[in-house]
mmCIF file of all heavy atoms in Angstrom:
data_model
loop_
_atom_site.group_PDB
_atom_site.id
_atom_site.type_symbol
_atom_site.label_atom_id
_atom_site.label_comp_id
_atom_site.label_asym_id
_atom_site.label_seq_id
_atom_site.Cartn_x
_atom_site.Cartn_y
_atom_site.Cartn_z
ATOM 1 N N THR A 80 0.395 12.299 24.082
ATOM 2 C CA THR A 80 -1.073 12.282 24.251
ATOM 3 C C THR A 80 -1.778 11.221 23.433
ATOM 4 O O THR A 80 -1.097 10.696 22.419
ATOM 5 C CB THR A 80 -1.742 13.652 23.930
ATOM 6 O OG1 THR A 80 -1.518 13.914 22.489
ATOM 7 C CG2 THR A 80 -1.239 14.721 24.779
ATOM 8 N N SER A 82 -3.854 9.005 20.816
ATOM 9 C CA SER A 82 -4.145 9.237 19.331
ATOM 10 C C SER A 82 -5.362 8.470 18.937
ATOM 11 O O SER A 82 -5.653 7.386 19.389
ATOM 12 C CB SER A 82 -2.797 8.613 18.588
ATOM 13 O OG SER A 82 -3.013 8.751 17.303
ATOM 14 N N THR A 86 -10.478 5.731 10.968
ATOM 15 C CA THR A 86 -11.360 4.579 10.610
ATOM 16 C C THR A 86 -12.080 4.702 9.268
ATOM 17 O O THR A 86 -12.738 3.733 8.795
ATOM 18 C CB THR A 86 -12.386 4.249 11.751
ATOM 19 O OG1 THR A 86 -13.164 5.496 11.837
ATOM 20 C CG2 THR A 86 -11.754 3.930 12.982
ATOM 21 N N ASP A 93 -4.780 0.436 -8.771
ATOM 22 C CA ASP A 93 -5.071 0.353 -10.206
ATOM 23 C C ASP A 93 -5.071 -1.049 -10.779
ATOM 24 O O ASP A 93 -5.122 -1.278 -12.066
ATOM 25 C CB ASP A 93 -4.169 1.279 -11.081
ATOM 26 C CG ASP A 93 -2.669 0.744 -10.935
ATOM 27 O OD1 ASP A 93 -2.422 -0.268 -10.440
ATOM 28 O OD2 ASP A 93 -1.883 1.405 -11.613
ATOM 29 N N ALA A 102 -0.264 1.898 -5.215
ATOM 30 C CA ALA A 102 -1.558 1.905 -4.509
ATOM 31 C C ALA A 102 -1.776 3.130 -3.673
ATOM 32 O O ALA A 102 -0.781 3.766 -3.239
ATOM 33 C CB ALA A 102 -1.772 0.768 -3.634
ATOM 34 N N ILE A 106 -7.636 9.929 2.500
ATOM 35 C CA ILE A 106 -8.232 10.331 3.722
ATOM 36 C C ILE A 106 -8.828 11.746 3.612
ATOM 37 O O ILE A 106 -8.091 12.667 3.350
ATOM 38 C CB ILE A 106 -7.226 10.238 4.911
ATOM 39 C CG1 ILE A 106 -6.661 8.870 5.038
ATOM 40 C CG2 ILE A 106 -7.902 10.693 6.168
ATOM 41 C CD1 ILE A 106 -5.521 8.658 6.042
ATOM 42 N N VAL A 148 -0.933 15.174 13.121
ATOM 43 C CA VAL A 148 -1.097 16.093 14.291
ATOM 44 C C VAL A 148 -1.798 17.357 13.738
ATOM 45 O O VAL A 148 -1.236 17.974 12.842
ATOM 46 C CB VAL A 148 0.191 16.414 15.067
ATOM 47 C CG1 VAL A 148 -0.052 17.294 16.191
ATOM 48 C CG2 VAL A 148 0.861 15.139 15.450
ATOM 49 N N LEU A 157 -3.274 6.053 11.385
ATOM 50 C CA LEU A 157 -3.769 4.904 10.637
ATOM 51 C C LEU A 157 -2.677 3.786 10.753
ATOM 52 O O LEU A 157 -1.479 4.135 10.454
ATOM 53 C CB LEU A 157 -3.934 5.369 9.149
ATOM 54 C CG LEU A 157 -4.334 4.236 8.185
ATOM 55 C CD1 LEU A 157 -5.712 3.642 8.589
ATOM 56 C CD2 LEU A 157 -4.402 4.730 6.699
ATOM 57 N N MET A 202 4.715 -28.818 -21.153
ATOM 58 C CA MET A 202 5.803 -29.587 -20.627
ATOM 59 C C MET A 202 7.019 -29.642 -21.498
ATOM 60 O O MET A 202 8.185 -29.568 -21.039
ATOM 61 C CB MET A 202 5.209 -30.957 -20.343
ATOM 62 C CG MET A 202 6.249 -31.965 -19.820
ATOM 63 S SD MET A 202 5.558 -33.583 -19.550
ATOM 64 C CE MET A 202 5.523 -34.239 -21.198
ATOM 65 N N ASN A 216 23.144 -23.860 -22.777
ATOM 66 C CA ASN A 216 22.572 -23.023 -23.836
ATOM 67 C C ASN A 216 21.280 -22.442 -23.256
ATOM 68 O O ASN A 216 20.320 -23.189 -22.952
ATOM 69 C CB ASN A 216 22.254 -23.831 -25.116
ATOM 70 C CG ASN A 216 23.464 -24.414 -25.599
ATOM 71 O OD1 ASN A 216 24.497 -23.900 -25.569
ATOM 72 N ND2 ASN A 216 23.288 -25.605 -26.265
ATOM 73 N N TRP A 231 -3.825 -5.630 -5.069
ATOM 74 C CA TRP A 231 -4.030 -5.931 -3.741
ATOM 75 C C TRP A 231 -5.574 -5.753 -3.631
ATOM 76 O O TRP A 231 -6.241 -4.963 -4.147
ATOM 77 C CB TRP A 231 -3.391 -4.990 -2.791
ATOM 78 C CG TRP A 231 -1.918 -5.115 -2.647
ATOM 79 C CD1 TRP A 231 -1.165 -6.041 -3.211
ATOM 80 C CD2 TRP A 231 -1.061 -4.217 -1.970
ATOM 81 N NE1 TRP A 231 0.142 -5.820 -2.945
ATOM 82 C CE2 TRP A 231 0.266 -4.717 -2.187
ATOM 83 C CE3 TRP A 231 -1.168 -3.049 -1.324
ATOM 84 C CZ2 TRP A 231 1.462 -4.136 -1.702
ATOM 85 C CZ3 TRP A 231 -0.054 -2.474 -0.824
ATOM 86 C CH2 TRP A 231 1.197 -2.975 -0.970
#
Side-chain angles (χ1 to χ4, degrees):
T80 60
S82 179
T86 56
D93 68 1
I106 300 172
V148 180
L157 174 63
M202 179 180 77
N216 300 331
W231 291 350

